[in-house]
Amino acid sequence: MTTVSELPSPLTLLPRAQAGDEHAMNHLLTAITPYVARICRSITHDDGADATQEALLAVYRGLGSLREPAAFYGWVRSVTVREAIRTARRYGAESCCSEVDSQKETNPLDAVYISDVLERLSQAHRQVLTLRAYGLNEEEMAEVLALPVGTVRSRLFRARRRFQEAWQPSAA
């Protein structure tokens, strides 16, 4: 049995998968599954498996439309975020966007404090902060959330303010 670490790089599999090679497509999807699942879990929380499946299906269906192989991971992230938001809306996830993946933590307790503060924010504010943490700009967030850019900007401004007001790690 082949493990994910033994698979060829997704960027080497990409042209073959786009050309219709099913074996390459399977390996490509297997290689990106952990990345997709991590994004989906942070956005949908309890419905991460469903969102991951939907995102992988969307990647499979849309792979032929990708023109620039160097943009593969950004395109996968965009597709994944869109599908995760759709899944969260479909299931009415109250805990949508309750976690933010951060690999730059210096204090392990910061993740606990961040999760606690995010849980106290509204769903709309958690969404915009999580999408920003994944590197989306206001225009991309507006597209994913199906909102006007101005609405996204004001939500982001208010979400940051609410987060800063609630963030008091030294008091915890």
Side-chain angles (χ1 to χ4, degrees):
M1 184 170 163
T2 305
T3 64
V4 172
S5 62
E6 296 170 345
L7 294 174
S9 159
L11 294 180
T12 60
L13 293 168
L14 185 59
R16 293 183 12 224
Q18 286 181 311
D21 182 340
E22 290 181 27
H23 189 67
M25 179 65 82
N26 286 336
H27 284 316
L28 179 69
L29 293 175
T30 300
I32 65 169
T33 296
Y35 174 68
V36 170
R38 188 172 54 251
I39 293 170
C40 288
R41 271 193 314 274
S42 71
I43 293 173
T44 63
H45 199 53
D46 294 334
D47 300 314
D50 291 335
T52 300
Q53 185 176 10
E54 292 296 326
L56 289 171
L57 186 58
V59 167
Y60 172 79
R61 288 180 178 153
L63 196 60
S65 68
L66 180 65
R67 298 286 178 243
E68 184 57 48
F72 177 70
Y73 280 102
W75 176 77
V76 168
R77 183 191 70 211
S78 160
V79 168
T80 299
V81 168
R82 183 184 65 235
E83 293 303 322
I85 294 287
R86 284 183 184 163
T87 300
R89 284 184 180 154
R90 185 170 50 250
Y91 290 115
E94 291 299 315
S95 61
C96 180
C97 304
S98 64
E99 297 176 21
V100 175
D101 258 347
S102 176
Q103 299 171 353
K104 300 177 185 172
E105 297 169 8
T106 56
N107 180 353
L109 290 177
D110 283 349
V112 174
Y113 298 138
I114 291 169
S115 292
D116 179 54
V117 171
L118 285 173
E119 285 297 321
R120 290 185 267 154
L121 297 177
S122 70
Q123 179 178 347
H125 288 167
R126 284 192 304 267
Q127 282 179 333
V128 295
L129 289 175
T130 301
L131 294 175
R132 174 61 90 192
Y134 276 105
L136 273 67
N137 62 34
E138 288 89 359
E139 291 79 16
E140 292 168 328
M141 287 190 277
E143 183 179 330
V144 166
L145 297 171
L147 294 170
V149 174
T151 301
V152 169
R153 287 182 179 143
S154 66
R155 277 190 191 173
L156 188 57
F157 175 80
R158 286 185 181 94
R160 285 176 173 155
R161 184 184 303 159
R162 300 288 183 278
F163 187 92
Q164 288 171 347
E165 289 169 358
W167 177 253
Q168 296 178 14
S170 59

Tab-separated table of all heavy atoms in Angstrom, residues 47-99:
chain	number	residue	atom	x	y	z
A	47	ASP	N	-18.766	19.384	10.829
A	47	ASP	CA	-19.119	18.874	9.507
A	47	ASP	C	-17.916	18.871	8.564
A	47	ASP	O	-18.070	18.899	7.347
A	47	ASP	CB	-20.248	19.734	8.900
A	47	ASP	CG	-21.494	19.703	9.764
A	47	ASP	OD1	-21.887	18.605	10.180
A	47	ASP	OD2	-22.047	20.780	10.033
A	48	GLY	N	-16.721	18.784	9.125
A	48	GLY	CA	-15.496	18.827	8.336
A	48	GLY	C	-15.387	17.703	7.321
A	48	GLY	O	-14.923	17.915	6.199
A	49	ALA	N	-15.828	16.488	7.680
A	49	ALA	CA	-15.729	15.354	6.751
A	49	ALA	C	-16.625	15.571	5.538
A	49	ALA	O	-16.214	15.298	4.401
A	49	ALA	CB	-16.086	14.055	7.460
A	50	ASP	N	-17.834	16.060	5.768
A	50	ASP	CA	-18.743	16.331	4.650
A	50	ASP	C	-18.195	17.440	3.759
A	50	ASP	O	-18.236	17.350	2.529
A	50	ASP	CB	-20.131	16.735	5.162
A	50	ASP	CG	-20.870	15.584	5.823
A	50	ASP	OD1	-20.561	14.412	5.495
A	50	ASP	OD2	-21.741	15.846	6.664
A	51	ALA	N	-17.674	18.484	4.380
A	51	ALA	CA	-17.116	19.594	3.612
A	51	ALA	C	-15.893	19.142	2.819
A	51	ALA	O	-15.712	19.553	1.666
A	51	ALA	CB	-16.752	20.748	4.545
A	52	THR	N	-15.078	18.284	3.420
A	52	THR	CA	-13.895	17.764	2.722
A	52	THR	C	-14.312	16.986	1.487
A	52	THR	O	-13.741	17.157	0.406
A	52	THR	CB	-13.061	16.872	3.664
A	52	THR	OG1	-12.633	17.654	4.781
A	52	THR	CG2	-11.855	16.279	2.961
A	53	GLN	N	-15.321	16.141	1.641
A	53	GLN	CA	-15.800	15.354	0.503
A	53	GLN	C	-16.333	16.268	-0.607
A	53	GLN	O	-16.030	16.062	-1.784
A	53	GLN	CB	-16.888	14.392	0.963
A	53	GLN	CG	-17.365	13.464	-0.108
A	53	GLN	CD	-18.385	12.452	0.406
A	53	GLN	OE1	-18.875	12.549	1.522
A	53	GLN	NE2	-18.706	11.483	-0.410
A	54	GLU	N	-17.096	17.268	-0.234
A	54	GLU	CA	-17.635	18.206	-1.223
A	54	GLU	C	-16.510	18.979	-1.915
A	54	GLU	O	-16.551	19.194	-3.129
A	54	GLU	CB	-18.612	19.182	-0.559
A	54	GLU	CG	-19.891	18.546	-0.063
A	54	GLU	CD	-20.744	17.961	-1.169
A	54	GLU	OE1	-20.763	18.521	-2.289
A	54	GLU	OE2	-21.393	16.936	-0.922
A	55	ALA	N	-15.517	19.393	-1.146
A	55	ALA	CA	-14.405	20.149	-1.721
A	55	ALA	C	-13.589	19.290	-2.682
A	55	ALA	O	-13.227	19.742	-3.770
A	55	ALA	CB	-13.513	20.701	-0.608
A	56	LEU	N	-13.313	18.049	-2.298
A	56	LEU	CA	-12.555	17.163	-3.180
A	56	LEU	C	-13.325	16.877	-4.463
A	56	LEU	O	-12.739	16.807	-5.548
A	56	LEU	CB	-12.184	15.865	-2.458
A	56	LEU	CG	-11.125	16.016	-1.366
A	56	LEU	CD1	-10.999	14.719	-0.565
A	56	LEU	CD2	-9.784	16.428	-1.944
A	57	LEU	N	-14.628	16.739	-4.349
A	57	LEU	CA	-15.456	16.531	-5.532
A	57	LEU	C	-15.410	17.768	-6.440
A	57	LEU	O	-15.294	17.648	-7.662
A	57	LEU	CB	-16.895	16.222	-5.121
A	57	LEU	CG	-17.856	15.843	-6.229
A	57	LEU	CD1	-17.358	14.623	-7.000
A	57	LEU	CD2	-19.235	15.555	-5.643
A	58	ALA	N	-15.462	18.949	-5.839
A	58	ALA	CA	-15.382	20.188	-6.626
A	58	ALA	C	-14.015	20.323	-7.297
A	58	ALA	O	-13.923	20.772	-8.446
A	58	ALA	CB	-15.663	21.402	-5.730
A	59	VAL	N	-12.952	19.919	-6.607
A	59	VAL	CA	-11.611	19.946	-7.206
A	59	VAL	C	-11.569	18.986	-8.388
A	59	VAL	O	-11.081	19.326	-9.460
A	59	VAL	CB	-10.524	19.598	-6.160
A	59	VAL	CG1	-9.188	19.306	-6.830
A	59	VAL	CG2	-10.380	20.723	-5.145
A	60	TYR	N	-12.100	17.796	-8.187
A	60	TYR	CA	-12.137	16.784	-9.253
A	60	TYR	C	-12.863	17.315	-10.487
A	60	TYR	O	-12.378	17.217	-11.607
A	60	TYR	CB	-12.812	15.519	-8.726
A	60	TYR	CG	-13.074	14.478	-9.772
A	60	TYR	CD1	-12.058	13.637	-10.219
A	60	TYR	CD2	-14.345	14.324	-10.326
A	60	TYR	CE1	-12.289	12.679	-11.190
A	60	TYR	CE2	-14.592	13.369	-11.300
A	60	TYR	CZ	-13.562	12.543	-11.725
A	60	TYR	OH	-13.801	11.599	-12.691
A	61	ARG	N	-14.035	17.903	-10.257
A	61	ARG	CA	-14.848	18.409	-11.375
A	61	ARG	C	-14.225	19.620	-12.057
A	61	ARG	O	-14.375	19.807	-13.263
A	61	ARG	CB	-16.237	18.787	-10.873
A	61	ARG	CG	-17.081	17.603	-10.528
A	61	ARG	CD	-18.446	18.039	-10.046
A	61	ARG	NE	-19.284	16.902	-9.751
A	61	ARG	CZ	-20.267	16.923	-8.876
A	61	ARG	NH1	-20.547	18.036	-8.217
A	61	ARG	NH2	-20.981	15.841	-8.660
A	62	GLY	N	-13.558	20.469	-11.286
A	62	GLY	CA	-13.068	21.726	-11.844
A	62	GLY	C	-11.609	21.727	-12.259
A	62	GLY	O	-11.117	22.735	-12.759
A	63	LEU	N	-10.918	20.611	-12.068
A	63	LEU	CA	-9.481	20.575	-12.345
A	63	LEU	C	-9.142	20.942	-13.786
A	63	LEU	O	-8.130	21.584	-14.042
A	63	LEU	CB	-8.906	19.199	-12.006
A	63	LEU	CG	-7.404	19.128	-11.883
A	63	LEU	CD1	-6.902	20.058	-10.795
A	63	LEU	CD2	-6.976	17.707	-11.592
A	64	GLY	N	-10.010	20.600	-14.715
A	64	GLY	CA	-9.767	20.922	-16.119
A	64	GLY	C	-9.775	22.413	-16.400
A	64	GLY	O	-9.184	22.869	-17.375
A	65	SER	N	-10.410	23.197	-15.536
A	65	SER	CA	-10.491	24.644	-15.752
A	65	SER	C	-9.249	25.379	-15.245
A	65	SER	O	-9.071	26.554	-15.548
A	65	SER	CB	-11.737	25.215	-15.070
A	65	SER	OG	-11.602	25.126	-13.666
A	66	LEU	N	-8.397	24.699	-14.471
A	66	LEU	CA	-7.187	25.329	-13.953
A	66	LEU	C	-6.181	25.501	-15.082
A	66	LEU	O	-5.742	24.530	-15.690
A	66	LEU	CB	-6.587	24.475	-12.818
A	66	LEU	CG	-5.316	25.019	-12.184
A	66	LEU	CD1	-5.588	26.340	-11.470
A	66	LEU	CD2	-4.743	24.001	-11.214
A	67	ARG	N	-5.810	26.732	-15.359
A	67	ARG	CA	-4.914	27.012	-16.479
A	67	ARG	C	-3.450	27.132	-16.057
A	67	ARG	O	-2.561	26.848	-16.820
A	67	ARG	CB	-5.328	28.316	-17.181
A	67	ARG	CG	-6.714	28.249	-17.772
A	67	ARG	CD	-6.725	27.387	-19.023
A	67	ARG	NE	-8.072	27.300	-19.546
A	67	ARG	CZ	-8.774	26.186	-19.635
A	67	ARG	NH1	-8.265	25.055	-19.232
A	67	ARG	NH2	-9.986	26.191	-20.125
A	68	GLU	N	-3.213	27.583	-14.857
A	68	GLU	CA	-1.844	27.839	-14.400
A	68	GLU	C	-1.479	26.864	-13.280
A	68	GLU	O	-1.934	27.017	-12.152
A	68	GLU	CB	-1.733	29.283	-13.905
A	68	GLU	CG	-0.343	29.698	-13.503
A	68	GLU	CD	0.675	29.524	-14.606
A	68	GLU	OE1	0.412	29.948	-15.750
A	68	GLU	OE2	1.733	28.936	-14.333
A	69	PRO	N	-0.667	25.857	-13.564
A	69	PRO	CA	-0.297	24.866	-12.547
A	69	PRO	C	0.319	25.470	-11.288
A	69	PRO	O	0.120	24.957	-10.189
A	69	PRO	CB	0.714	23.967	-13.264
A	69	PRO	CG	0.416	24.124	-14.710
A	69	PRO	CD	-0.075	25.537	-14.870
A	70	ALA	N	1.030	26.564	-11.399
A	70	ALA	CA	1.647	27.200	-10.235
A	70	ALA	C	0.598	27.732	-9.256
A	70	ALA	O	0.884	27.917	-8.080
A	70	ALA	CB	2.565	28.328	-10.676
A	71	ALA	N	-0.619	27.948	-9.731
A	71	ALA	CA	-1.701	28.462	-8.891
A	71	ALA	C	-2.513	27.345	-8.253
A	71	ALA	O	-3.548	27.604	-7.637
A	71	ALA	CB	-2.618	29.356	-9.720
A	72	PHE	N	-2.057	26.113	-8.378
A	72	PHE	CA	-2.830	24.953	-7.922
A	72	PHE	C	-3.267	25.061	-6.466
A	72	PHE	O	-4.446	24.937	-6.159
A	72	PHE	CB	-2.040	23.660	-8.145
A	72	PHE	CG	-2.727	22.427	-7.636
A	72	PHE	CD1	-3.871	21.950	-8.265
A	72	PHE	CD2	-2.249	21.738	-6.533
A	72	PHE	CE1	-4.527	20.822	-7.802
A	72	PHE	CE2	-2.887	20.608	-6.062
A	72	PHE	CZ	-4.023	20.145	-6.702
A	73	TYR	N	-2.337	25.296	-5.546
A	73	TYR	CA	-2.702	25.319	-4.128
A	73	TYR	C	-3.614	26.488	-3.783
A	73	TYR	O	-4.527	26.348	-2.966
A	73	TYR	CB	-1.461	25.298	-3.238
A	73	TYR	CG	-0.904	23.900	-3.097
A	73	TYR	CD1	0.208	23.502	-3.814
A	73	TYR	CD2	-1.525	22.969	-2.279
A	73	TYR	CE1	0.710	22.212	-3.705
A	73	TYR	CE2	-1.036	21.678	-2.168
A	73	TYR	CZ	0.079	21.305	-2.873
A	73	TYR	OH	0.559	20.029	-2.778
A	74	GLY	N	-3.409	27.633	-4.382
A	74	GLY	CA	-4.312	28.759	-4.158
A	74	GLY	C	-5.705	28.465	-4.679
A	74	GLY	O	-6.706	28.791	-4.039
A	75	TRP	N	-5.767	27.814	-5.837
A	75	TRP	CA	-7.061	27.435	-6.419
A	75	TRP	C	-7.749	26.396	-5.534
A	75	TRP	O	-8.950	26.513	-5.258
A	75	TRP	CB	-6.832	26.890	-7.828
A	75	TRP	CG	-8.070	26.389	-8.494
A	75	TRP	CD1	-9.059	27.141	-9.075
A	75	TRP	CD2	-8.467	25.026	-8.650
A	75	TRP	NE1	-10.034	26.319	-9.582
A	75	TRP	CE2	-9.695	25.017	-9.328
A	75	TRP	CE3	-7.894	23.813	-8.275
A	75	TRP	CZ2	-10.370	23.837	-9.633
A	75	TRP	CZ3	-8.563	22.639	-8.575
A	75	TRP	CH2	-9.786	22.661	-9.251
A	76	VAL	N	-7.004	25.411	-5.057
A	76	VAL	CA	-7.579	24.393	-4.167
A	76	VAL	C	-8.091	25.044	-2.892
A	76	VAL	O	-9.184	24.735	-2.423
A	76	VAL	CB	-6.552	23.274	-3.849
A	76	VAL	CG1	-7.044	22.388	-2.705
A	76	VAL	CG2	-6.280	22.428	-5.086
A	77	ARG	N	-7.319	25.983	-2.330
A	77	ARG	CA	-7.756	26.677	-1.116
A	77	ARG	C	-9.057	27.429	-1.365
A	77	ARG	O	-9.997	27.363	-0.580
A	77	ARG	CB	-6.674	27.654	-0.651
A	77	ARG	CG	-7.063	28.350	0.671
A	77	ARG	CD	-6.144	29.489	1.009
A	77	ARG	NE	-6.400	30.562	0.054
A	77	ARG	CZ	-5.506	31.418	-0.369
A	77	ARG	NH1	-4.267	31.348	0.044
A	77	ARG	NH2	-5.824	32.367	-1.224
A	78	SER	N	-9.130	28.130	-2.477
A	78	SER	CA	-10.324	28.895	-2.811
A	78	SER	C	-11.547	27.987	-2.972
A	78	SER	O	-12.624	28.262	-2.430
A	78	SER	CB	-10.050	29.683	-4.083
A	78	SER	OG	-11.207	30.073	-4.725
A	79	VAL	N	-11.383	26.891	-3.706
A	79	VAL	CA	-12.476	25.926	-3.899
A	79	VAL	C	-12.882	25.330	-2.555
A	79	VAL	O	-14.073	25.198	-2.247
A	79	VAL	CB	-12.052	24.814	-4.892
A	79	VAL	CG1	-13.041	23.660	-4.892
A	79	VAL	CG2	-11.895	25.391	-6.288
A	80	THR	N	-11.909	24.980	-1.736
A	80	THR	CA	-12.177	24.352	-0.443
A	80	THR	C	-12.929	25.289	0.491
A	80	THR	O	-13.908	24.890	1.118
A	80	THR	CB	-10.855	23.893	0.201
A	80	THR	OG1	-10.238	22.939	-0.664
A	80	THR	CG2	-11.095	23.260	1.552
A	81	VAL	N	-12.485	26.521	0.576
A	81	VAL	CA	-13.160	27.493	1.442
A	81	VAL	C	-14.598	27.685	0.986
A	81	VAL	O	-15.528	27.688	1.798
A	81	VAL	CB	-12.382	28.827	1.483
A	81	VAL	CG1	-13.212	29.930	2.122
A	81	VAL	CG2	-11.066	28.644	2.218
A	82	ARG	N	-14.798	27.827	-0.325
A	82	ARG	CA	-16.154	28.009	-0.854
A	82	ARG	C	-17.049	26.823	-0.483
A	82	ARG	O	-18.170	26.998	-0.005
A	82	ARG	CB	-16.103	28.198	-2.373
A	82	ARG	CG	-17.483	28.471	-2.970
A	82	ARG	CD	-17.452	28.568	-4.489
A	82	ARG	NE	-17.086	27.278	-5.055
A	82	ARG	CZ	-16.078	27.081	-5.902
A	82	ARG	NH1	-15.317	28.088	-6.276
A	82	ARG	NH2	-15.828	25.887	-6.375
A	83	GLU	N	-16.559	25.611	-0.673
A	83	GLU	CA	-17.360	24.421	-0.369
A	83	GLU	C	-17.584	24.260	1.131
A	83	GLU	O	-18.653	23.810	1.553
A	83	GLU	CB	-16.706	23.164	-0.954
A	83	GLU	CG	-16.707	23.129	-2.469
A	83	GLU	CD	-18.091	23.244	-3.088
A	83	GLU	OE1	-19.064	22.667	-2.547
A	83	GLU	OE2	-18.214	23.923	-4.130
A	84	ALA	N	-16.599	24.617	1.936
A	84	ALA	CA	-16.764	24.532	3.392
A	84	ALA	C	-17.836	25.508	3.878
A	84	ALA	O	-18.672	25.157	4.725
A	84	ALA	CB	-15.440	24.787	4.092
A	85	ILE	N	-17.833	26.716	3.325
A	85	ILE	CA	-18.864	27.700	3.687
A	85	ILE	C	-20.235	27.191	3.260
A	85	ILE	O	-21.213	27.280	4.009
A	85	ILE	CB	-18.568	29.072	3.042
A	85	ILE	CG1	-17.292	29.672	3.619
A	85	ILE	CG2	-19.749	30.022	3.192
A	85	ILE	CD1	-17.390	30.189	5.021
A	86	ARG	N	-20.339	26.640	2.064
A	86	ARG	CA	-21.618	26.087	1.596
A	86	ARG	C	-22.095	24.976	2.510
A	86	ARG	O	-23.277	24.894	2.846
A	86	ARG	CB	-21.483	25.548	0.173
A	86	ARG	CG	-21.457	26.604	-0.871
A	86	ARG	CD	-21.399	25.985	-2.254
A	86	ARG	NE	-21.282	27.020	-3.254
A	86	ARG	CZ	-20.898	26.822	-4.488
A	86	ARG	NH1	-20.589	25.608	-4.903
A	86	ARG	NH2	-20.822	27.824	-5.336
A	87	THR	N	-21.192	24.099	2.906
A	87	THR	CA	-21.565	22.995	3.797
A	87	THR	C	-22.024	23.539	5.139
A	87	THR	O	-23.032	23.081	5.686
A	87	THR	CB	-20.374	22.027	3.982
A	87	THR	OG1	-20.015	21.496	2.708
A	87	THR	CG2	-20.728	20.891	4.926
A	88	ALA	N	-21.303	24.512	5.674
A	88	ALA	CA	-21.683	25.105	6.959
A	88	ALA	C	-23.070	25.733	6.872
A	88	ALA	O	-23.890	25.578	7.779
A	88	ALA	CB	-20.659	26.144	7.378
A	89	ARG	N	-23.350	26.406	5.774
A	89	ARG	CA	-24.676	27.012	5.603
A	89	ARG	C	-25.752	25.938	5.462
A	89	ARG	O	-26.842	26.058	6.016
A	89	ARG	CB	-24.700	27.904	4.370
A	89	ARG	CG	-24.009	29.217	4.589
A	89	ARG	CD	-24.145	30.088	3.369
A	89	ARG	NE	-23.482	31.364	3.576
A	89	ARG	CZ	-23.008	32.108	2.618
A	89	ARG	NH1	-23.115	31.723	1.366
A	89	ARG	NH2	-22.418	33.248	2.887
A	90	ARG	N	-25.433	24.891	4.699
A	90	ARG	CA	-26.406	23.828	4.462
A	90	ARG	C	-26.776	23.135	5.772
A	90	ARG	O	-27.919	22.841	6.017
A	90	ARG	CB	-25.850	22.821	3.461
A	90	ARG	CG	-26.841	21.757	3.067
A	90	ARG	CD	-26.414	20.879	1.902
A	90	ARG	NE	-25.080	20.314	2.025
A	90	ARG	CZ	-24.036	20.673	1.281
A	90	ARG	NH1	-24.152	21.609	0.365
A	90	ARG	NH2	-22.865	20.096	1.445
A	91	TYR	N	-25.815	22.899	6.608
A	91	TYR	CA	-26.085	22.229	7.882
A	91	TYR	C	-26.413	23.203	8.999
A	91	TYR	O	-26.666	22.778	10.123
A	91	TYR	CB	-24.892	21.356	8.287
A	91	TYR	CG	-24.714	20.154	7.410
A	91	TYR	CD1	-23.598	20.013	6.605
A	91	TYR	CD2	-25.672	19.149	7.378
A	91	TYR	CE1	-23.433	18.907	5.790
A	91	TYR	CE2	-25.524	18.042	6.567
A	91	TYR	CZ	-24.406	17.929	5.777
A	91	TYR	OH	-24.243	16.835	4.970
A	92	GLY	N	-26.359	24.496	8.694
A	92	GLY	CA	-26.671	25.502	9.703
A	92	GLY	C	-25.709	25.451	10.863
A	92	GLY	O	-26.104	25.551	12.015
A	93	ALA	N	-24.445	25.277	10.561
A	93	ALA	CA	-23.439	25.099	11.612
A	93	ALA	C	-23.372	26.316	12.520
A	93	ALA	O	-23.036	27.395	12.089
A	93	ALA	CB	-22.080	24.830	10.997
A	94	GLU	N	-23.708	26.090	13.787
A	94	GLU	CA	-23.600	27.153	14.772
A	94	GLU	C	-22.150	27.403	15.133
A	94	GLU	O	-21.784	28.489	15.535
A	94	GLU	CB	-24.381	26.784	16.039
A	94	GLU	CG	-25.880	26.771	15.837
A	94	GLU	CD	-26.409	28.129	15.413
A	94	GLU	OE1	-26.014	29.135	16.010
A	94	GLU	OE2	-27.217	28.176	14.474
A	95	SER	N	-21.331	26.368	14.981
A	95	SER	CA	-19.934	26.511	15.388
A	95	SER	C	-19.026	26.789	14.205
A	95	SER	O	-17.835	26.557	14.280
A	95	SER	CB	-19.480	25.238	16.099
A	95	SER	OG	-19.585	24.140	15.206
A	96	CYS	N	-19.599	27.301	13.123
A	96	CYS	CA	-18.803	27.573	11.925
A	96	CYS	C	-17.621	28.471	12.252
A	96	CYS	O	-17.749	29.457	12.957
A	96	CYS	CB	-19.680	28.243	10.873
A	96	CYS	SG	-18.817	28.630	9.361
A	97	CYS	N	-16.500	28.113	11.700
A	97	CYS	CA	-15.288	28.921	11.827
A	97	CYS	C	-14.828	29.076	13.273
A	97	CYS	O	-14.336	30.111	13.664
A	97	CYS	CB	-15.479	30.306	11.213
A	97	CYS	SG	-15.983	30.251	9.507
A	98	SER	N	-14.962	28.033	14.090
A	98	SER	CA	-14.617	28.163	15.497
A	98	SER	C	-13.157	27.938	15.797
A	98	SER	O	-12.728	28.160	16.904
A	98	SER	CB	-15.466	27.209	16.331
A	98	SER	OG	-15.167	25.881	15.973
A	99	GLU	N	-12.385	27.476	14.824
A	99	GLU	CA	-10.966	27.255	15.065
A	99	GLU	C	-10.165	27.959	13.986
A	99	GLU	O	-10.586	28.071	12.865
A	99	GLU	CB	-10.629	25.770	14.982
A	99	GLU	CG	-11.302	24.924	16.013
A	99	GLU	CD	-10.992	23.457	15.799
A	99	GLU	OE1	-9.989	23.136	15.140
A	99	GLU	OE2	-11.762	22.649	16.287
